[in-house]
Amino acid sequence: MSQIPHIKEFSKNSKYYNSYNLIQKKVVKKLLSTVSFKPKTILDLGCGDGLVYKNLGFKVDKFVGVDLSTLMLDLHPKSSEVFLECKDFDSVDDFDKYDLVISSSSLQWSKDIYTLVKNIENNSQNFALAIFTEGTFKTLRDWFGLKSFLPNKNKLKMSFSKNVSCETISYKLEFKSTLEMLKYIKKSGVSGGRKELKVKEIKYFLQNYDKDFLEFEVIQVKKFNM
Ligand SMILES: C[S@@+](CC[C@H](N)C(=O)[O-])C[C@H]1O[C@@H](n2cnc3c(N)ncnc32)[C@H](O)[C@@H]1O
């Protein structure tokens, strides 16, 4: 199993991902609805258990899914046109080989997202990316006084050239209790298993947090030459 903390976390929670990925399901559907042509070959960065592939809605000749978690890849649909590679998307550089480079809810985990997105823009023919940004969990983070580790949406937008379309989308999820919210944070893969809180702080949160929602901020970036 990978020693990278957030990959270990994705692997540990892979069996729950399909029940806790409500927002990622909305994100992928919205992202795919913007793909205005039918690419024959697709590269999916951080493909996980296959949400992009499962929601494509058209046939492809070749679908390459890259992910660092073997346990997430085990859950990805298999077929003769699907090729799964267990590797770091930061090390991928053959973007030009595909009709479409896509990534949904994954690139925020890059070691150097600003360089990675520039490489994707400069070398791919067409791309569609949905990336979680620092407005995610904002109310909760502000309550704790914790800074976000997610990329800044404006800095990210500035990494792309002017003719690239960038849209910010906000989502909100409501919970019946703070315990449900905590479970969601742990299992959904949005926090990547960062242990930012001590047991005492978690207890304080469970007893005193008075909001029943979490908010999510995603930027959707695309450029199609077709
Ligand atoms: C939130 S899941 C999203 C999966 C899928 N794209 C979806 O929409 O449900 C993020 C995925 O990115 C993968 N991942 C995170 N960092 C990675 C990296 N550096 N290289 C490859 N995969 C990575 C994780 O293992 C996980 O499967």
Side-chain angles (χ1 to χ4, degrees):
M1 202 187 275
S2 169
Q3 289 312 304
I4 303 171
H6 70 266
I7 299 297
K8 261 172 85 179
E9 199 66 15
F10 275 114
S11 293
K12 199 172 100 196
N13 289 316
S14 56
K15 53 184 174 295
Y16 308 113
Y17 185 70
N18 192 38
S19 321
Y20 281 87
N21 62 355
L22 272 91
I23 296 297
Q24 288 94 335
K25 280 178 180 152
K26 289 186 186 190
V27 170
V28 83
K29 286 202 168 103
K30 178 123 182 91
L31 183 67
L32 283 168
S33 73
T34 68
V35 179
S36 50
F37 68 108
K38 292 200 170 99
K40 288 276 171 224
T41 55
I42 297 181
L43 171 64
D44 180 8
L45 302 171
C47 61
D49 66 348
L51 266 192
V52 170
Y53 182 75
K54 288 182 219 167
N55 284 281
L56 269 185
F58 55 85
K59 289 231 172 301
V60 288
D61 293 343
K62 187 176 183 187
F63 183 97
V64 176
V66 171
D67 203 287
L68 254 181
S69 164
T70 46
L71 291 176
M72 288 295 274
L73 289 175
D74 285 349
L75 300 170
H76 195 289
K78 314 285 184 300
S79 102
S80 56
E81 75 275 6
V82 172
F83 300 85
L84 300 176
E85 295 177 16
C86 185
K87 68 177 178 193
D88 191 338
F89 48 52
D90 282 307
S91 68
V92 177
D93 58 6
D94 58 350
F95 304 120
D96 58 324
K97 283 199 196 140
Y98 302 88
D99 293 343
L100 177 70
V101 175
I102 194 163
S103 182
S104 191
S105 307
S106 298
L107 293 191
Q108 64 276 1
W109 300 114
S110 165
K111 284 192 283 301
D112 182 2
I113 189 163
Y114 304 104
T115 303
L116 177 60
V117 295
K118 269 197 194 102
N119 284 342
I120 295 174
E121 182 186 346
N122 292 338
N123 298 303
S124 64
Q125 302 170 42
N126 305 286
F127 67 87
L129 315 171
I131 303 165
F132 279 81
T133 48
E134 72 179 359
T136 299
F137 296 174
K138 183 171 184 325
T139 308
L140 178 66
R141 288 193 164 274
D142 287 351
W143 192 77
F144 275 116
L146 285 174
K147 252 184 84 99
S148 179
F149 56 86
L150 293 168
N152 174 277
K153 78 170 174 203
N154 294 326
K155 195 170 165 202
L156 204 48
K157 279 181 185 174
M158 276 158 55
S159 309
F160 294 95
S161 51
K162 294 261 175 315
N163 55 347
V164 169
S165 144
C166 289
E167 188 188 351
T168 305
I169 302 152
S170 302
Y171 298 92
K172 207 171 184 182
L173 205 55
E174 290 183 0
F175 296 86
K176 288 198 196 92
S177 66
T178 44
L179 184 62
E180 287 297 307
M181 194 185 285
L182 187 69
K183 269 195 210 157
Y184 174 86
I185 295 170
K186 283 180 157 242
K187 300 215 166 19
S188 66
V190 182
S191 68
R194 279 164 203 247
K195 305 257 183 301
E196 293 171 284
L197 298 175
K198 300 190 181 78
V199 176
K200 221 168 98 185
E201 290 166 324
I202 293 176
K203 272 194 188 153
Y204 186 76
F205 161 76
L206 289 172
Q207 286 163 5
N208 296 291
Y209 194 59
D210 60 351
K211 305 281 184 293
D212 64 352
F213 65 87
L214 287 173
E215 70 274 67
F216 302 82
E217 181 188 76
V218 173
I219 73 162
Q220 196 171 277
V221 197
K222 63 179 169 92
K223 190 171 155 205
F224 304 137
N225 295 308
M226 280 194 158

